[in-house]
Amino acid sequence: MASIKKIIIGFGIIIVLLAIMGTVSVVTTLRMAATSQRIYAHPFAVTNAAQDINFRLLSIQRDLRNIHLLEDPQQIQPFLERINIHDKQIAEDFVILFDRFLGNPQDVHKLHSTFIEWGL
C-alpha cells in the first residue's frame, strides 16, 4: 500500500513538472516569435514603403495612360477610383518614410513635394 502511494505521488510530481515545462516552453516560444517578427519587420519598413510608393506610382501612371487611350468617357470612373486609392496608400507610405527614414530628411521632403507637384 505504501509503495502504491509513493508511485502515485511520484507520478503526480512528474505530471506537474511536465505541465510546468510545457507552459514555460510555450511562453518562451511565443516571446521568441514576437521578437523575431519585430526584428524582421522593423528594418524593412522604410524599404517596403519606398517600394510600395514606386509600385503605386507606376500603377497610377498605367491608369492615366489607360484613361488617355479610352474613347468612351463613361469608362473613366473605375480608373479614377483606383488612382484615388493608390494616392491614399502613397500618403500612408510617406508617413512611414517621414517617421522612420534614418537618412537625410530633406530627401523624403523633396520626394514628397515632387509627388505633390506631379499630382497637380
Side-chain angles (χ1 to χ4, degrees), residues 2-4 9 13-15 39 41 48 52 54-55 60 70 74-75 78 81 89 93 100 109 112:
S3 62
I4 294 176
I9 290 173
I13 291 172
I14 290 173
I15 289 176
I39 288 171
N48 290 342
D52 289 344
N54 186 37
F55 169 75
I60 289 173
L70 285 176
Q74 296 174 348
Q75 296 175 342
E81 290 173 2
Q89 291 170 336
D93 290 332
R100 297 185 183 182
H109 289 289
H112 187 257

Side-chain angles (χ1 to χ4, degrees), residues 16-120:
V16 169
L17 289 175
L18 283 174
I20 291 171
M21 286 175 38
T23 303
V24 168
S25 67
V26 167
V27 169
T28 304
T29 303
L30 291 175
R31 283 184 187 169
M32 287 183 353
T35 302
S36 297
Q37 181 64 27
R38 282 195 316 253
I39 288 171
Y40 179 76
H42 180 70
F44 299 114
V46 172
T47 304
N48 290 342
Q51 289 175 348
D52 289 344
I53 288 172
N54 186 37
F55 169 75
R56 290 182 176 111
L57 286 174
L58 292 173
S59 296
I60 289 173
Q61 183 180 11
R62 181 201 62 222
D63 288 341
L64 288 173
R65 185 176 2 146
N66 288 340
I67 288 173
H68 179 69
L69 296 174
L70 285 176
E71 295 179 9
D72 185 13
Q74 296 174 348
Q75 296 175 342
I76 292 176
Q77 190 59 35
F79 291 106
L80 293 178
E81 290 173 2
R82 277 202 314 240
I83 289 172
N84 288 333
I85 289 171
H86 287 305
D87 189 47
K88 289 176 186 175
Q89 291 170 336
I90 287 173
E92 293 171 5
D93 290 332
F94 269 116
V95 169
I96 294 172
L97 285 181
F98 282 125
D99 185 44
R100 297 185 183 182
F101 186 68
L102 298 177
N104 187 357
Q106 291 298 333
D107 294 340
V108 178
H109 289 289
K110 184 177 178 182
L111 177 66
H112 187 257
S113 64
T114 304
F115 171 70
I116 297 298
E117 290 172 8
W118 179 66
L120 295 177

